[in-house]
Amino acid sequence: MSELIPVIDDISILYSDPKLASARARWTELSIQFEKHYGRVPDFIARSPGRVNLIGEHVDYAGFGVLPMAIEDDCLIAVAVDESSNDVKLANTNEKYSPLEFSPKSAQDGYVDINPELHVWSNYFAAGYRGLLEELNIDTPKGMHCLMSGSVPTGAGLSSSSAFVCCSVIATVKAQESLLEKNQRKMPSAHELAIISIRSERYVGTMGGGMDQACSILSKPNSALFIEFHPVLKATPVFFPTTQPPIAFVIANTLVTSDKAVTAPVRYNLRVVETRGAARILALALGIPIPASGKFHLKQVLDAHYEKIGFSSEGKTEAEADIEKLVGMTEVVERVLGTHEIKHGVSYSKMCELSGLSEAEFKKLYIQ
């Protein structure tokens, strides 16, 4: 967990042979455009890739493991550190995105204003910037001149927004490196930066589970990444076998756009609220103590239930034991809810009733 974000001087390890030439041209053009925009060359370029998910759709925020992998499409942010000011200047190589300039506020005031109801591209940079500075408790950050280039299609399910937040976190911590050294503080590990990125993206209004950010920061070349979230974040590379011809994954673009931030209140965040409510309902039915915060997820309920009843995995593989547990939990759900509710769904009022809360209490605990 102490491994740092790697610093490289050859991007050939990041891209496959068919994409390497165009990637080199893009990195070079980013540096050229940066110099034209700011009148100086960048000190460094931060990178964070998008991802595609292989196994485990919409279960990360319920605490269950997932198996995504990073892709070559990525977010790049060229940065020059401004030693004379703590102002931040952000621009995009795509001129349709308006630039952002701000002087950071105090730590107590959150460094930078982020309005999640305004779906602007710069919110994702601001979220990573704010999250990193808050986590490291940096009062007077160094200024940053930034130029962003993104090749991950937006709204295509490849986590362009998370790649941007992660890249912002990485860019910000690198820009503050000398400040940390001056105060005899260590640079955060890649694992720590992944956790910071997960927390940071929630500033834009999405209640993510952490798969996208963990995959973007912790993935290794030529592998998928098995990510576990409970009891702690754990990422294990799953390397692909060597074959001839090499293994290839085809990612098809349906051209249907689904902007997670825009649809969060009625889609993405709604699913998160539903799973949190379900966890509470099942915990009450199974006699499992509910944390003082009132917030926990389905994986915690599953683990607590089988620990309570003394489940034995003796003579079973880990996969066999997990399957048996999941099958057992489906039987619990059928018993608690009944076949009609499972088939037709549970209304908001019914969910509140089953969770032992008034609608106002439920809203305050899980929605606001």
Side-chain angles (χ1 to χ4, degrees):
M1 289 187 181
S2 60
E3 184 177 326
L4 298 177
I5 293 288
V7 178
I8 63 173
D9 55 12
D10 182 4
I11 67 169
S12 64
I13 67 171
L14 303 176
Y15 304 96
S16 60
D17 289 341
K19 285 194 171 184
L20 183 55
S22 61
R24 288 192 192 281
R26 178 169 160 243
W27 282 64
T28 300
E29 181 62 20
L30 177 59
S31 295
I32 292 172
Q33 291 300 319
F34 186 96
E35 189 170 6
K36 287 181 179 179
H37 195 87
Y38 292 114
R40 58 177 292 188
V41 297
D43 294 321
F44 63 88
I45 296 176
R47 174 187 183 264
S48 208
R51 68 98 188 100
V52 65
N53 196 21
L54 303 179
I55 301 175
E57 289 296 335
H58 289 274
V59 297
D60 57 334
Y61 47 73
F64 292 100
V66 291
L67 186 71
M69 66 178 183
I71 59 177
E72 292 175 303
D73 296 295
D74 52 24
C75 172
L76 306 177
I77 301 179
V79 180
V81 179
D82 186 354
E83 301 286 352
S84 65
S85 167
N86 62 357
D87 292 349
V88 175
K89 298 180 180 180
L90 173 68
N92 196 307
T93 56
N94 188 333
E95 294 182 354
K96 80 173 186 178
Y97 297 111
S98 301
L100 171 72
E101 294 188 17
F102 65 90
S103 298
K105 301 188 296 184
S106 67
Q108 292 79 9
D109 292 328
Y111 296 102
V112 57
D113 292 325
I114 303 172
N115 184 351
E117 295 183 2
L118 295 178
H119 305 298
V120 293
W121 76 284
S122 53
N123 272 0
Y124 297 97
F125 175 88
Y129 176 85
R130 175 177 174 176
L132 187 283
L133 296 182
E134 283 184 339
E135 187 68 27
L136 299 186
N137 194 27
I138 296 176
D139 291 325
T140 309
K142 291 182 178 293
M144 298 169 62
H145 294 176
C146 307
L147 182 62
M148 184 267 200
S149 170
S151 65
V152 185
T154 58
L158 297 176
S159 294
S160 60
S161 57
S162 294
F164 192 7
V165 172
C166 291
C167 201
S168 172
V169 167
I170 294 169
T172 304
V173 75
K174 181 64 177 175
Q176 311 306 320
E177 184 175 21
S178 63
L179 192 61
L180 294 176
E181 291 175 350
K182 181 180 178 181
N183 291 290
Q184 298 182 327
R185 298 175 61 185
K186 294 181 179 180
M187 286 284 281
S189 68
H191 184 271
E192 290 168 329
L193 291 178
I195 294 174
I196 292 171
S197 298
I198 292 168
R199 295 170 179 165
S200 297
E201 190 161 343
R202 292 167 188 166
Y203 283 126
V204 300
T206 53
M207 300 164 61
M211 172 181 70
D212 303 344
Q213 301 87 349
C215 182
S216 186
I217 289 181
L218 300 176
S219 287
K220 304 294 183 182
N222 304 311
S223 66
L225 193 69
F226 178 50
I227 307 172
E228 300 167 88
F229 301 95
H230 181 72
V232 295
L233 178 66
K234 180 182 178 183
T236 306
V238 179
F239 291 96
F240 302 126
T242 301
T243 62
Q244 200 55 246
I247 291 175
F249 292 85
V250 177
I251 303 172
N253 189 348
T254 65
L255 303 181
V256 175
T257 300
S258 180
D259 191 314
K260 186 166 63 177
V262 174
T263 62
V266 293
R267 291 184 183 177
Y268 190 87
N269 287 357
L270 179 60
R271 300 291 89 80
V272 178
V273 170
E274 289 171 337
T275 62
R276 299 281 168 81
R280 182 183 182 91
I281 291 168
L282 291 176
L284 288 172
L286 295 169
I288 296 171
I290 296 174
S293 67
K295 296 182 179 180
F296 60 148
H297 50 62
L298 288 168
K299 181 65 163 61
Q300 290 170 287
V301 175
L302 181 146
D303 289 348
H305 171 61
Y306 284 105
E307 181 180 355
K308 180 181 178 181
I309 66 175
F311 178 84
S312 174
S313 59
E314 185 176 350
K316 306 166 188 171
T317 66
E318 184 177 354
E320 289 171 340
D322 287 344
I323 291 172
E324 184 176 333
K325 289 178 180 179
L326 290 171
V327 170
M329 287 303 291
T330 62
E331 295 171 355
V332 172
V333 172
E334 291 173 356
R335 185 176 76 247
V336 173
L337 294 181
T339 55
H340 180 271
E341 282 76 9
I342 291 174
K343 182 177 180 180
H344 299 285
V346 177
S347 66
Y348 177 59
S349 59
K350 183 66 174 179
M351 176 175 277
C352 294
E353 177 188 333
L354 291 171
S355 65
L357 298 171
S358 68
E359 292 190 15
E361 290 172 329
F362 189 96
K363 183 177 181 180
K364 181 178 180 180
L365 186 59
Y366 295 109
I367 299 177
Q368 291 181 337

